[in-house]
Amino acid sequence: MKMAKTYSIAIDGPAGAGKSTIAKILAKELELIYVDTGALYRTIGYYVTRQGVDTADTEAVAAALSGLTVELKYVDGVQRVFANGEDVSDLIRTPAISMAASAVSAIPAVREFLLGIQKDMVKKGGVVMDGRDIGTVIMPDADAKLFLVASPAARAKRRYLELCAK
């Protein structure tokens, strides 16, 4: 079944609940664009770390954003993340960058910076977007909203298996 190009699906929930897994499956099955919001935060974490900015320094992180452009593009059918034109897709998937992403995600300026990017993607339509606050802040008018939950043990096992696979 093909969905209308403007159809939007928001998937929310805690880390390790399966948001990305479900989002990727839905996007593929419904022929919609999958937007990995976690990758956007990881990109900022990577960028500011590479610039030598302390992720705990909210003012320095906010200032660094003015020199950054972030884009999601499909290359050969695979979503890739670009920071200032550089493909950083593989570079943002390390434990150190995960920690940096977690730190910068708490900074209001970072959330505001990404809000515009994410809302622009929603305006284009045909998206499945996962992450925290997606259904309430980014896509409050989504056509469908899912909130996934999993036990702490299941979430920990998912994360462990993901790390082992890498």
Side-chain angles (χ1 to χ4, degrees):
M1 171 167 132
K2 289 186 183 180
M3 305 307 293
K5 267 196 164 253
T6 58
Y7 201 79
S8 61
I9 300 172
I11 302 179
D12 212 328
K19 295 183 302 290
S20 324
T21 302
I22 297 299
K24 289 174 190 173
I25 291 169
L26 276 174
K28 183 177 181 178
E29 288 297 316
L30 301 176
E31 297 182 6
L32 301 172
I33 295 170
Y34 166 59
V35 179
D36 179 358
T37 62
L40 300 175
Y41 284 98
R42 287 171 174 274
T43 300
I44 291 177
Y46 171 78
Y47 176 76
V48 298
T49 300
R50 194 166 112 183
Q51 300 300 311
V53 175
D54 180 357
T55 57
D57 185 342
T58 59
E59 290 179 16
V61 170
L65 296 175
S66 66
L68 176 63
T69 59
V70 179
E71 296 175 281
L72 294 178
K73 297 179 184 177
Y74 277 84
V75 177
D76 297 326
V78 176
Q79 184 175 266
R80 307 295 292 175
V81 187
F82 292 81
N84 293 340
E86 175 190 0
D87 185 345
V88 297
S89 304
D90 298 326
L91 302 172
I92 63 172
R93 302 291 177 183
T94 67
I97 297 306
S98 291
M99 297 299 290
S102 181
V104 301
S105 71
I107 299 172
V110 170
R111 297 184 82 73
E112 187 65 29
F113 177 79
L114 289 179
L115 178 67
I117 293 170
Q118 293 165 336
K119 285 202 174 255
D120 284 345
M121 291 177 188
V122 173
K123 284 180 191 173
K124 292 176 185 174
V127 298
V128 177
M129 194 175 289
D130 73 351
R132 296 189 189 112
D133 302 327
I134 296 302
T136 55
V137 177
I138 309 301
M139 298 171 65
D141 299 321
D143 296 298
K145 295 181 186 182
L146 305 172
F147 189 91
L148 302 180
V149 294
S151 70
R155 292 169 51 209
K157 183 177 179 181
R158 285 178 58 79
R159 282 291 183 237
Y160 173 75
L161 292 174
E162 283 176 7
L163 290 172
C164 286
K166 291 177 184 179

